[in-house]
Amino acid sequence: MHMTKKSFLAFIMTLTLIIGIASPFTQKAFAAENDPLGINASAAIAIEASTGKILYGKNIDETLGIASMTKMMTEYLLLEAIEEGKVSWDQKYKPSDYVYKISQHTNLSNVPLRKDGSYTVRELFEAMAIYSANGAAIAIAEIVGGSETNFVKMMNEKAKEMGIKNAKFVNATGLNNRDLQGMHPEGTGEDDENEMSARAVATLAYNLLKNYPEVLETASIPKKVFQEGTDDAINMENWNWMLPGLVFGTEGVDGLKTGYTEYAGSCFTATAERNGMRIITVVMNAKGNGSNPYVPRFEETRKLLNYAFSNFSVEELFPKEYQIKGESTLPVVKGKEKKVSIYTKEPLLLAIKRGENDVYKEKYVLDEKILNEKGELTAPIKKGTKVGYMTVEYTGKGEDLGFINGVSGAKVDLVTKNTVEKANWFVLTMRGIGGIIGDIWDGITGMVKGWFS
C-alpha cells in the first residue's frame, strides 16, 4: 500500500500523540520498577550502621540542600573537641552580638539567649541537638573554632577527611545565608546554602555514630526544658517526631537530625535499632500531599526503615579463626619455621538480604608494608600479628549497591596463628651455605645437560 505525503504526516502526528500520552505512564512504570518502595523524595538512602553497607539508594550522588542536617557536622566537631580536651561540657559561654541577634529571630528554630547571659556548652548542645536552635549552633561554632568563619573551614576539612568529595558548608546551622542578617561567614555568598549528596549525609551520620555514639543520649530526648527553673525556661520538643512518644513515634528510632529550608525542602537523617541491627536513613526534599511541609520526611523515612528491617539482617558469614583453603600460610625468612598460618581474628558480619547468604566470596588483602619484595614475613613474629584483612565480594546476579565510602566496611583483621622465633646464627649460616651449594649444583646440572643435549 502506498502512503501519500499527507497521510504519512497524519500518521506521524498520531504516533507522536500516542507516545506523548503513554510516556508519563511508561516513565512511572519504569520508576516503580527501579524504585519498588516508591520513595517520594529527590534522594534517599538506607545503610546498615556497623559496615556502611547500602541497602537502598535513590539518586544518592546528586548534590542537594541539606538544611539543618548540617548540625550533625557541628555536633561532630564539638564532640571531637571535647574528646581532645579542647572544650569541656561545663565550659561557660557569653553570647556575641551575632549569636544574640540570631537567637532572637523567632521565625527560626531558636532558644532566645540573653546578651548578658552565661550558658554551658552542654546547654547549648542540647538546644541544638533537640530543638535545632540556630543561635546555639553558631555559639558552638565560636567556642570550637573561634569564629563561624573558621569553623566553616573546619567543617569542609573534616568532610574531606571522611572521604566526602561533594560537600559545601557555608555556615554552621544549615540556614540560608540570607537568614544570617548580613553576618554570614567571610568568603561565602549572601544567598549560599549548605549542600551534600544523600551518600555524603549518610557518611557523615555513619562517622558520627561510629566515633561518638553518645550523641544519641541527647538526640533521643523527646522533650526537655531549656534553662529550667529560670525566667527564661523554654519547652523544647524534639523536631524528630519519630521518637517514641511523639506524633510519628516509631520502634527503635533514637536520632538523628531533621532539616527544612525552602531550598532543601523536607529532609531527615534517621537512625533506629531493632534486634541488634542499626539502620541509618536519609531522605532529601521529601514530598507529600498535605499542607504541613515537615510531615513527608517522616512518612518516607518510615518506608525505608520498614523495608530495611523487614528484608535484611546482620549475619555471620564467616566464623572467627576462619582460613581460606590454600591461602592461609605465609612464607617466613630468618625464622625457625619457614611458614606461618594466618586466620581471621573475629567473625565477619554483614547485613544481607534474606536468602542471600551464599552470594558473597571471601578474599584476603595482605598488608604489603610488612612483607618483603618476595611476599615473605621476617622473623621474629608474634602470635596475633596483624598481616592484613579478609573481606567479601558480591557474586550474586542482582544489583549490589556496595558501601557508602566505596570501600568495603565488611572486613576483619588477618593475624598470625602462632609465634615464629628467629633462627640462631648457626642455622641461618647453614641455610646460607646450603643455598650456595644448591646454586652451584644447579649450575653443574645445567652444564651437564648442555653437554649431552
Side-chain angles (χ1 to χ4, degrees), residues 167-444:
K168 182 183 83 170
F169 289 106
V170 297
N171 59 53
T173 59
L175 294 170
N176 189 289
N177 269 356
R178 63 173 171 267
D179 292 318
L180 300 178
Q181 304 176 29
M183 298 176 285
H184 54 274
E186 297 175 14
T188 66
E190 294 181 2
D191 293 314
D192 277 355
E193 192 162 322
N194 297 334
E195 296 177 328
M196 297 173 79
S197 66
R199 184 197 295 270
V201 175
T203 302
L204 170 57
Y206 167 81
N207 281 281
L208 178 59
L209 293 179
K210 178 183 178 182
N211 295 323
Y212 304 105
E214 63 268 27
V215 70
L216 296 179
E217 295 174 9
T218 303
S220 62
I221 298 173
K223 297 178 182 180
K224 191 175 179 70
V225 179
F226 181 76
Q227 291 278 284
E228 188 172 11
T230 72
D231 294 338
D232 296 329
I234 296 173
N235 291 318
M236 300 187 297
E237 181 174 303
N238 203 312
W239 283 100
N240 177 3
W241 297 350
M242 294 188 80
L243 291 175
L246 299 184
V247 62
F248 283 94
T250 301
E251 179 189 355
V253 173
D254 52 6
L256 193 55
K257 194 67 198 74
T258 58
Y260 179 84
T261 63
E262 289 185 6
Y263 173 66
S266 187
C267 303
F268 184 31
T269 299
T271 185
E273 186 174 18
R274 298 178 196 168
N275 300 320
M277 180 172 72
R278 178 169 291 280
I279 299 296
I280 298 169
T281 64
V282 179
V283 294
M284 304 177 74
N285 192 26
K287 301 167 186 176
N289 298 321
S291 58
N292 189 329
Y294 304 132
V295 170
R297 59 194 179 191
F298 304 122
E299 294 175 331
E300 303 312 303
T301 294
R302 181 171 286 172
K303 293 179 187 177
L304 289 171
L305 290 176
N306 288 341
Y307 169 74
F309 285 118
S310 297
N311 291 278
F312 292 85
S313 61
V314 175
E315 302 288 343
E316 180 182 297
L317 292 185
F318 300 96
K320 178 181 178 180
E321 301 183 355
Y322 179 81
Q323 295 182 302
I324 298 178
K325 187 176 181 180
E327 298 182 38
S328 290
T329 61
L330 287 176
V332 176
V333 293
K334 298 184 179 180
K336 287 186 176 181
E337 290 81 35
K338 294 186 177 181
K339 60 183 179 179
V340 64
S341 292
I342 58 176
Y343 57 27
T344 57
K345 184 177 181 180
E346 303 290 343
L348 191 145
L349 308 176
L350 182 65
I352 60 174
K353 203 165 189 177
R354 302 194 193 284
E356 291 193 346
N357 299 57
D358 58 348
V359 297
Y360 291 92
K361 179 177 175 58
E362 66 272 38
K363 175 185 176 183
Y364 283 167
V365 179
L366 298 175
D367 184 356
E368 296 181 357
K369 294 179 181 178
I370 66 171
L371 302 175
N372 65 19
E373 294 179 355
K374 296 181 179 180
E376 301 166 320
L377 290 170
T378 302
I381 304 162
K382 291 182 179 180
K383 177 181 179 180
T385 298
K386 182 180 176 181
V387 296
Y389 63 87
M390 187 179 83
T391 186
V392 291
E393 294 179 338
Y394 181 75
T395 61
K397 296 181 180 179
E399 181 183 13
D400 181 61
L401 298 174
F403 298 81
I404 49 169
N405 56 7
V407 179
S408 176
K411 57 184 180 181
V412 289
D413 288 349
L414 273 176
V415 297
T416 53
K417 187 176 180 179
N418 47 333
T419 295
V420 178
E421 295 180 359
K422 186 175 181 179
N424 60 43
W425 67 270
F426 179 76
V427 172
L428 294 177
T429 301
M430 294 305 294
R431 285 181 185 172
I433 294 172
I436 294 172
I437 294 174
D439 290 340
I440 294 173
W441 178 254
D442 288 342
I444 294 173

Side-chain angles (χ1 to χ4, degrees), residues 84-224:
E84 294 173 352
K86 297 176 181 178
V87 177
S88 69
W89 286 115
D90 295 329
Q91 184 174 325
K92 294 282 189 174
Y93 168 84
K94 291 185 177 181
S96 63
D97 289 340
Y98 174 31
V99 167
Y100 169 73
K101 289 177 182 178
I102 296 300
S103 76
Q104 305 304 309
H105 200 324
T106 56
N107 290 332
L108 305 175
S109 296
N110 265 313
V111 290
L113 304 175
R114 289 181 180 269
K115 184 69 180 72
D116 59 351
S118 181
Y119 306 91
T120 66
V121 169
R122 187 175 296 280
E123 287 176 318
L124 295 169
F125 175 73
E126 290 176 345
M128 175 180 68
I130 298 170
Y131 205 49
S132 201
N134 291 292
I138 299 171
I140 289 171
E142 292 182 351
I143 292 168
V144 176
S147 68
E148 189 180 20
T149 295
N150 189 55
F151 190 78
V152 166
K153 294 178 182 177
M154 295 171 65
M155 297 172 83
N156 285 299
E157 288 171 1
K158 184 57 66 176
K160 290 179 181 177
E161 283 182 30
M162 293 180 183
I164 298 171
K165 299 178 181 179
N166 58 347
K168 182 183 83 170
F169 289 106
V170 297
N171 59 53
T173 59
L175 294 170
N176 189 289
N177 269 356
R178 63 173 171 267
D179 292 318
L180 300 178
Q181 304 176 29
M183 298 176 285
H184 54 274
E186 297 175 14
T188 66
E190 294 181 2
D191 293 314
D192 277 355
E193 192 162 322
N194 297 334
E195 296 177 328
M196 297 173 79
S197 66
R199 184 197 295 270
V201 175
T203 302
L204 170 57
Y206 167 81
N207 281 281
L208 178 59
L209 293 179
K210 178 183 178 182
N211 295 323
Y212 304 105
E214 63 268 27
V215 70
L216 296 179
E217 295 174 9
T218 303
S220 62
I221 298 173
K223 297 178 182 180
K224 191 175 179 70

